[in-house]
Amino acid sequence: MLNLKMPLDFRSDKDSSEMLPSLSRRERGEIVLTLFFAQLLSQKTAWLDFRTHAFELLSKEILWQPRPWIFAWDPDFLTALRKINVGIFLHQTPLFREGLGDMRLDHAEADLLEQFGPGDQPGKRYFLKDLRHGMHKVFMSCKDAKTRLHANFFPFGLMLAGLYQHLESLGATIDVQACFMRAWDRLTAEERSLLEGGTWAKSTTA
């Protein structure tokens, strides 16, 4: 089992000595969501377990103890997924649509934006029922368009379900844009350039 300790300053630029000994529900949720984005942007292999009981709040750290549900993304899927997320949160519509096209999901653009976007979301509440409803609409759109979802959508859906369960249990409003940008800002300039070009998943060993 992975035991990953994350300092509270994973969520901000404050010195660790300035950190309070406890986190609000919103702060905890934003650390978890930032971790989700950081893993998506920087790793080819994912730990899928984002459920509530995989995390423990310590005095000045969050301890992540995911179950060993590890999945190596297909490079084409990961590249498209990164294009979609970078396109949404950096407001690069052509890149977002390119990612949709790579997944043959052009027909589901409105449904995916309703579920996961637009990027500027200073206050989003997460509910599992919304995820189920949104994904059902995507599935039905694929059925109507006679296309199939990539096989990697199954593990990705498991990861999303755990994330939504965790954030719903916190009952907090999350600044999604800020979480993405914290993860984005921790990348190197070269990594950001490759992601904006939609090539990092194939051109690096991350």
Side-chain angles (χ1 to χ4, degrees):
M1 179 181 293
L2 176 70
N3 286 274
L4 177 62
K5 291 183 179 179
M6 296 175 291
L8 300 193
D9 61 5
F10 187 76
R11 64 185 166 87
S12 73
D13 296 326
K14 294 181 181 179
D15 184 84
S16 59
S17 63
E18 300 177 37
M19 292 296 152
L20 298 174
S22 62
L23 291 171
S24 69
R25 289 175 176 266
R26 175 170 181 154
E27 289 171 324
R28 175 170 174 157
E30 293 190 350
I31 288 177
V32 171
L33 185 57
T34 301
L35 174 62
F36 171 85
F37 284 130
Q39 180 176 240
L40 181 66
L41 292 175
S42 65
Q43 302 297 316
K44 288 185 176 181
T45 300
W47 293 82
L48 302 179
D49 191 4
F50 278 81
R51 297 171 302 167
T52 302
H53 60 258
F55 293 83
E56 179 183 356
L57 176 63
L58 306 177
S59 59
K60 288 184 178 292
E61 296 171 316
I62 281 184
L63 179 63
W64 188 26
Q65 296 180 301
R67 300 298 297 173
W69 303 341
I70 307 168
F71 189 81
W73 301 116
D74 173 79
D76 290 333
F77 176 83
L78 183 57
T79 297
L81 193 59
R82 287 172 172 174
K83 287 178 182 178
I84 290 169
N85 278 271
V86 173
I88 287 175
F89 293 105
L90 296 188
H91 312 292
Q92 296 184 12
T93 301
L95 188 63
F96 166 69
R97 288 178 174 160
E98 184 178 327
L100 290 180
D102 291 345
M103 288 194 181
R104 300 179 64 197
L105 286 175
D106 315 68
H107 53 82
E109 177 177 344
D111 294 327
L112 287 167
L113 277 176
E114 180 183 351
Q115 179 62 44
F116 300 113
D120 291 330
Q121 297 181 73
K124 177 180 173 66
R125 291 283 300 276
Y126 282 79
F127 299 98
L128 267 170
K129 65 178 179 62
D130 292 341
L131 177 64
R132 288 192 293 266
H133 176 70
M135 294 312 296
H136 176 72
K137 291 179 70 175
V138 173
F139 295 150
M140 294 307 296
S141 180
C142 287
K143 181 179 179 180
D144 293 341
K146 295 181 171 55
T147 61
R148 290 186 177 183
L149 288 174
H150 192 286
N152 280 193
F153 262 102
F154 179 69
F156 183 62
L158 287 178
M159 187 165 66
L160 280 178
L163 176 70
Y164 270 66
Q165 178 274 325
H166 192 156
L167 298 180
E168 180 176 358
S169 73
L170 294 173
T173 300
I174 305 297
D175 188 336
V176 184
Q177 178 75 21
C179 292
F180 180 88
M181 293 310 301
R182 289 186 193 109
W184 180 258
D185 289 344
R186 289 182 175 273
L187 300 172
T188 67
E190 180 183 5
E191 290 167 346
R192 290 195 293 268
S193 178
L194 287 169
L195 281 169
E196 288 183 286
T199 60
W200 194 16
K202 295 182 179 180
S203 61
T204 76
T205 57

